Amino acid sequence: QVQLVESGGGLVQAGGSLRLSCAASGRTFSIYTVGWFRQAPGKEREFVAAIKKVDGNTYYADSVKGRFTISRDNAKNTVYLQMNSLRPEDTANYYCTADSTRTLVVGKLPRNYDYWGQGTQVTVSS
């Protein structure tokens, strides 16, 4: 089993920045990819970004490309999501997730991931 704990959410004005953290514990050696998804009220959970553990390759949704940066610290078993130039439409509950199944392909659907954190709320005011 893998446990994921997010932190770093909060309230920020449009144009501001936040950094989310995802700390993993348990069978972390089994993780191939760590991703971030978000879900706003009344909307489906959507892919935000992902990073491959082995090579550090990163993947982003078009809506956040150029504004968000995902990074990892393998020694600390922690993945970060640096969010800059935040917009009101970025308001959502952000979830960290881990894939322990796919070695080569990075999934962009919730069903592609095995483990989920409890989520952290990000609110961007206009």
Side-chain angles (χ1 to χ4, degrees), residues 4 30-37 45-52 59 96-116:
L4 303 171
S30 67
I31 297 174
Y32 295 112
T33 301
V34 175
W36 288 94
F37 281 71
R45 193 168 294 191
E46 65 173 358
F47 173 79
V48 175
I51 187 166
K52 291 289 287 184
Y59 306 81
C96 178
T97 184
D99 177 7
S100 63
T101 303
R102 293 165 178 77
T103 58
L104 299 176
V105 178
V106 172
K108 296 185 178 181
L109 297 174
R111 66 172 183 262
N112 297 145
Y113 292 82
D114 312 298
Y115 302 100
W116 293 84

Side-chain angles (χ1 to χ4, degrees), residues 5-82:
V5 178
E6 304 99 332
S7 61
L11 173 64
V12 64
Q13 288 188 332
S17 298
L18 283 175
R19 189 177 81 156
L20 306 183
S21 298
C22 173
S25 61
R27 297 171 60 89
T28 58
F29 59 86
S30 67
I31 297 174
Y32 295 112
T33 301
V34 175
W36 288 94
F37 281 71
R38 65 186 181 186
Q39 188 167 21
K43 295 189 176 182
E44 294 187 350
R45 193 168 294 191
E46 65 173 358
F47 173 79
V48 175
I51 187 166
K52 291 289 287 184
K53 185 178 179 182
V54 63
D55 56 18
N57 284 348
T58 58
Y59 306 81
Y60 297 95
D62 288 342
S63 59
V64 307
K65 206 171 291 184
R67 301 188 298 122
F68 291 10
T69 302
I70 188 171
S71 61
R72 77 196 195 288
D73 185 334
N74 285 344
K76 295 183 178 180
N77 288 318
T78 300
V79 170
Y80 305 97
L81 185 68
Q82 178 67 43

